[in-house]
Amino acid sequence: MLYDDFWLTASDAAPLYVNRWYAEQAPKAVVMVSHGMAEHGGRYARLGQALVAAGYELYAHDQRGHGKTAQRGVLGMYAENKGWQRVVDDLANLNHHIRQQHPNVPIFLLGHSMGSYIGQAYLMHHSCSLQGAILSGSNYQPVGLYKAAASIARFERWRQGATGRSALLDFLSFGSFNKAFKPTRTKFDWLSRDPQEVDKYVNDPLCGFRCTNQLWIDLLEGLQQITPVNQLKQIDADLPLLVIGGSRDPVSDGKRLEDLTAALREAGHRNTLLKIYPDARHELLNETNRDEVTTDLLGWLDNALSHSRRSHPETQEPA
C-alpha cells in the first residue's frame, strides 16, 4: 500500500488537506470519505489499507474546520458564511479531482456521522457522480427538533460570537452520550468498546474539540434541508445505498437508522440496505468487530460495482 497527501484547492480557493491510500496498479473503484465532527481524514488509514488490498483506492480530505485543513482556517468552523454549502461543494471538488485522476473509474462515497449529513446533501445534487454511497453512524430526527436547536445556536452566537464555543450546545448534543456506559473511563467511551481506540481519539490533538457556534448553525440548518422526504427524492433512486450503525450508538441508537432507511425508501430509494451491528457503538471502523464491518463493506462495494448505473458519472462537474 502507498500513501500520499496533498492540498486541493476548493471552488472558493480555500485549501483542503487530502489523504490518499492507493496501489501502483489502477483501482477497480475509488472511495471518498466524508468524516465526522471533531475528527479528521487521517483516522481512516486502516480502512485505506483494507480497501487497497481489495483493489480499491481511498481519498479522505480534512473537512473545513477539521484536521490539517483547519491550520488555514478556524478549528471547529466551516466558514464565516455559507459554511454548509461550502463543505458540500468540497465533496464535488474532490470527486472532480478523482475523476481527473481516474477517468471512468466508479466512485463511492462513505459519510460518517456529520459526514453522512454532508454526504446526503451532496447526493441530492450529485448522485450521478457516484456508483453508490454508505451512510455510517447517521441519524434522522424531526425537522422541528433541528429548528429548535438552531434557535439555541443562534442565541449562543449572539451571546458569544460566531467563533464562540458553547458549553450549552456541547451539553445538549454530546452531554448524554456517555450515560449508557457508566462507569466510564473517559468522556468518549461512547465511541467504541475498544479502550485503545478511545485512547487514540482522546490523545489526538485534532479530535474531540468543541465546535464553534457558527458550525452548529450551519450544520443544523443543513439538517433541516436534507431531512424532508421530498428533499430525499432528489437523490437518484437508482443509487445503491448502505446505511450502517451500532445498536448502542447514542447518536442513532439503531431506531433512528431505521427511521432514516424508512424515509429513504419512502422517497423511492428501494436499493437501500440497512445493517445494524449488535452492541456496537458510534465508530464502527474502530470497534471491536471492525474486521467484520470492513468485510461487510468490501462485500457491499463489490456487489454495488456490478450494479448497472443509468447515469454517466464521467460528465459530473463540481458545483
Side-chain angles (χ1 to χ4, degrees), residues 7 15-17 39 62-77 206 209:
W7 290 91
L16 304 173
Y17 181 80
E39 63 153 343
D62 289 355
Q63 308 218 51
R64 294 177 191 236
H66 292 77
K68 294 183 180 179
T69 294
Q71 294 174 1
R72 304 186 184 184
V74 177
L75 185 68
M77 184 172 179
L206 295 176
F209 52 85

Side-chain angles (χ1 to χ4, degrees), residues 78-126:
Y78 294 149
E80 293 182 2
N81 56 76
K82 299 181 180 179
W84 179 255
Q85 188 58 53
R86 295 187 194 282
V87 290
V88 175
D89 287 348
D90 290 344
L91 284 176
N93 278 274
L94 179 59
N95 183 282
H96 185 58
H97 172 82
I98 295 170
R99 182 69 56 210
Q100 290 178 316
Q101 303 303 309
H102 301 289
N104 302 318
V105 173
I107 301 174
F108 291 91
L109 172 65
L110 167 59
H112 172 66
S113 197
M114 176 193 78
S116 74
Y117 313 139
I118 297 170
Q120 287 174 63
Y122 176 82
L123 295 179
M124 290 174 182
H125 302 285
H126 304 285

Side-chain angles (χ1 to χ4, degrees), residues 89-318:
D89 287 348
D90 290 344
L91 284 176
N93 278 274
L94 179 59
N95 183 282
H96 185 58
H97 172 82
I98 295 170
R99 182 69 56 210
Q100 290 178 316
Q101 303 303 309
H102 301 289
N104 302 318
V105 173
I107 301 174
F108 291 91
L109 172 65
L110 167 59
H112 172 66
S113 197
M114 176 193 78
S116 74
Y117 313 139
I118 297 170
Q120 287 174 63
Y122 176 82
L123 295 179
M124 290 174 182
H125 302 285
H126 304 285
S127 296
C128 65
S129 72
L130 297 171
Q131 181 69 20
I134 302 164
L135 304 176
S136 166
S138 197
N139 198 337
Y140 192 80
Q141 299 275 16
V143 171
L145 181 65
Y146 298 137
K147 288 182 178 179
S151 295
I152 296 172
R154 283 190 288 269
F155 175 80
E156 290 295 88
R157 180 178 62 183
W158 171 82
R159 189 175 67 87
Q160 295 181 319
T163 58
R165 302 172 192 271
S166 168
L168 176 60
L169 290 173
D170 188 65
F171 172 77
L172 292 175
S173 55
F174 300 108
S176 64
F177 285 179
N178 246 3
K179 287 183 179 179
F181 308 108
K182 289 183 177 180
T184 54
R185 193 177 56 87
T186 76
K187 292 195 303 181
F188 298 101
D189 286 14
W190 58 274
L191 291 175
S192 172
R193 290 168 292 180
D194 188 334
Q196 291 185 339
E197 292 299 320
V198 173
D199 286 346
K200 287 180 185 178
Y201 183 91
V202 170
N203 294 324
D204 190 331
L206 295 176
C207 288
F209 52 85
R210 186 178 292 177
C211 288
T212 64
N213 297 328
Q214 187 60 53
L215 183 145
W216 278 112
I217 292 171
D218 293 335
L219 176 60
L220 290 163
E221 290 180 348
L223 284 165
Q224 292 174 54
Q225 295 173 23
I226 67 171
T227 298
V229 171
N230 283 340
Q231 292 292 91
L232 293 173
K233 288 180 179 178
Q234 296 183 64
I235 301 173
D236 181 4
D238 182 57
L239 186 73
L241 297 172
L242 174 63
V243 179
I244 57 174
S247 69
R248 298 200 69 195
D249 177 2
V251 175
S252 61
D253 70 17
K255 175 63 170 66
R256 294 169 193 162
L257 292 182
E258 293 174 355
D259 293 342
L260 173 60
T261 304
L264 288 165
R265 289 173 178 167
E266 183 182 348
H269 306 294
R270 300 299 176 186
N271 196 6
T272 300
L273 176 65
L274 171 64
K275 175 74 173 181
I276 298 175
Y277 293 87
D279 297 322
R281 302 180 189 179
H282 187 54
E283 292 192 341
L284 288 178
L285 294 172
N286 295 320
E287 257 289 5
T288 54
N289 65 321
R290 54 185 171 264
D291 291 343
E292 173 195 8
V293 174
T294 301
T295 298
D296 290 347
L297 286 183
L298 290 172
W300 183 86
L301 289 168
D302 286 343
N303 185 65
L305 267 180
S306 65
H307 178 71
S308 179
R309 296 281 283 124
R310 297 176 305 198
S311 53
H312 301 282
E314 67 273 14
T315 65
Q316 184 65 35
E317 295 286 340

